[in-house]
């Protein structure tokens, strides 16, 4: 019987620890969940271009967490609520009126930062995934034609000077942006026999050394709470482990004693 005792102790300690663990996690969750500390939702574009041509297909996706039982997403276009409540909002054939700022929000996020989408009319458009880059960021440019008509002899130009030439239209990648990539860009090429040029786009390369963003200096405090909780749990677990070992060891000794006694008992009788 005495062999069972340490196991019973062990499980009763778990029973004791478990509600405490849950309580800690729940309270940390609740604190992180107060409105002011919710993370922001994020609007993602698919394909990722912030500039598109009329009749292009664009999907905006809202990245955020949902409370159980409420998967509705709120979408704002230039500050006005859109009727769509799905997590993805698709524009099947873009119109100039679809241009502007998009924001989204889910039940467990704050309103996202705006994503600016520009819908242009033209034969060629220089597409980019953002306007402002940090030094070291990759830059991805695309010389996009209306309705994806074939374009040949494509040149990407920076500040009026040819920077990259493709006989067959291709995207232009800059692996790591440097300050020398800052400037105004456009592309041109042949659609059929017609020499077409896009409008120019300013691409700004920010100096990294300027000012580190606040978020990289300060941890959000719910992360600190999380670390503290994990620390407490680890300490509790370690304590438990050692007391377990001690219990087991003493019970093994008890058991041996018992065994010894059991072995002896018959002879005693
Ligand atoms: C569901 O979440 C949205 C936010 O996305 C909120 O506006 C709405 O009130 C919630 N609905 C319910 C029934 O809680
Ligand atoms: C970057 O380019 C923009 C125009 O595209 C220009 O206004 C700005 O002065 C440039 N900045 C630097 C640091 O060269
Ligand atoms: C298009 O026209 C420009 C001048 O406007 C010229 O420099 C360029 O070579 C032409 N491009 C092609 C592919 O013919």
């Amino acid at each position: 019987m005495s062999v069972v005792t340490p196991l019973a102790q062990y499980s009763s300690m778990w029973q004791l620890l478990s509600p405490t663990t849950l309580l800690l996690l729940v309270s940390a969750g609740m604190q992180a969940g107060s409105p002011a500390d919710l993370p922001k939702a994020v609007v993602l574009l698919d394909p990722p271009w912030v500039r598109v041509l009329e009749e292009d297909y664009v999907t905006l996706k809202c990245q955020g967490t949902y409370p159980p039982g409420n998967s509705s997403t709120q979408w704002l276009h230039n500050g006005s609520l859109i009727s769509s409540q799905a997590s993805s909002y698709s524009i099947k054939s873009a119109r100039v009126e679809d241009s502007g700022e998009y924001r989204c929000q889910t039940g467990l996020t704050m309103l996202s930062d705006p994503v600016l989408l520009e819908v242009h009319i033209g034969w060629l458009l220089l597409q980019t995934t953002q306007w402002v880059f940090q030094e070291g960021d990759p830059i991805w440019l695309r010389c996009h034609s209306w309705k994806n008509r074939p374009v040949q002899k494509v040149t990407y130009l920076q500040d009026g000077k040819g920077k990259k030439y493709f006989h067959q239209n291709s995207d232009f990648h800059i692996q790591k942006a440097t300050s020398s990539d800052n400037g105004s860009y456009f592309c041109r090429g042949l659609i059929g026999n017609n020499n077409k040029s896009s409008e120019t786009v300013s691409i700004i390369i920010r100096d990294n050394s300027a000012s580190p963003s606040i978020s990289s200096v300060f941890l959000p405090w719910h992360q600190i709470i999380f670390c503290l909780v994990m620390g407490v749990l680890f300490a509790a677990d370690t304590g438990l482990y050692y007391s377990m070992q001690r219990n087991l060891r003493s019970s093994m000794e008890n058991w041996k004693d018992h065994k010894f006694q059991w072995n002896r008992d018959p002879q005693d009788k």
Side-chain angles (χ1 to χ4, degrees):
M1 286 307 282
S2 62
V3 177
V4 175
T5 315
L7 286 175
Q9 273 175 357
Y10 186 37
S11 76
S12 77
M13 280 184 81
W14 268 113
Q15 275 159 8
L16 232 150
L17 184 73
S18 302
T20 323
T21 311
L22 281 175
L23 218 104
L24 278 168
L25 287 176
V26 165
S27 73
M30 298 244 295
Q31 280 162 344
S34 67
D37 296 300
L38 284 178
K40 278 185 189 172
V42 176
V43 176
L44 298 173
L45 290 170
D46 180 19
W49 315 112
V50 292
R51 318 176 79 230
V52 299
L53 282 172
E54 256 198 330
E55 299 182 46
D56 279 350
Y57 190 113
V58 189
T59 302
L60 295 111
K61 291 178 177 168
C62 191
Q63 208 176 54
T65 42
Y66 294 89
N70 182 357
S71 61
S72 91
T73 305
Q74 289 192 328
W75 285 100
L76 296 176
H77 176 215
N78 293 329
S80 310
L81 212 57
I82 298 176
S83 59
S84 167
Q85 293 196 334
S87 63
S88 293
Y89 174 60
S90 287
I91 302 172
K92 298 200 167 63
S93 177
R95 297 159 307 151
V96 172
E97 304 90 89
D98 294 316
S99 296
E101 286 186 348
Y102 287 86
R103 293 172 185 260
C104 75
Q105 183 170 23
T106 67
L108 288 179
T109 53
M110 305 250 285
L111 196 59
S112 70
D113 287 330
V115 160
L116 182 61
L117 179 71
E118 287 182 357
V119 182
H120 291 262
I121 299 175
W123 283 100
L124 275 186
L125 180 80
L126 185 72
Q127 291 188 299
T128 176
T129 56
Q130 60 207 72
W131 283 273
V132 179
F133 295 86
Q134 300 286 327
E135 274 185 344
D137 282 353
I139 301 179
W140 187 17
L141 301 175
R142 180 178 183 226
C143 193
H144 171 49
S145 59
W146 187 50
K147 297 194 174 183
N148 290 315
R149 279 155 203 254
V151 195
Q152 259 114 47
K153 301 187 177 171
V154 173
T155 309
Y156 290 84
L157 300 95
Q158 179 190 2
D159 300 321
K161 285 185 291 250
K163 184 155 171 142
K164 190 82 185 174
Y165 172 82
F166 295 101
H167 191 68
Q168 295 294 325
N169 194 8
S170 299
D171 295 352
F172 174 31
H173 296 267
I174 295 170
Q175 305 289 338
K176 286 185 173 186
T178 64
S179 57
S180 68
D181 296 315
N182 182 68
S184 72
Y185 287 76
F186 74 97
C187 68
R188 70 174 175 226
L190 294 176
I191 299 181
N193 290 321
N194 299 311
N195 189 339
K196 300 284 183 198
S197 293
S198 73
E199 294 168 30
T200 62
V201 191
S202 287
I203 288 178
I204 293 159
I205 314 296
R206 283 233 178 96
D207 190 356
N208 278 343
S209 61
S211 60
S213 67
I214 288 176
S215 63
S216 66
V217 178
F218 300 102
L219 275 173
W221 68 276
H222 57 263
Q223 279 184 16
I224 294 168
I225 295 254
F226 179 78
C227 292
L228 282 176
V229 167
M230 290 328 269
V232 167
L233 287 179
F234 179 73
D237 262 7
T238 313
L240 183 69
Y241 173 76
Y242 283 114
S243 73
M244 257 288 299
Q245 258 199 344
R246 216 176 306 124
N247 271 334
L248 268 175
R249 210 179 297 125
S250 65
S251 73
M252 286 303 276
E253 276 152 19
N254 283 344
W255 188 67
K256 272 187 217 142
D257 289 349
H258 274 264
K259 212 168 135 190
F260 183 60
Q261 278 166 13
W262 271 67
N263 286 343
R264 261 196 349 198
D265 278 349
Q267 293 169 352
D268 282 356
K269 273 188 179 172

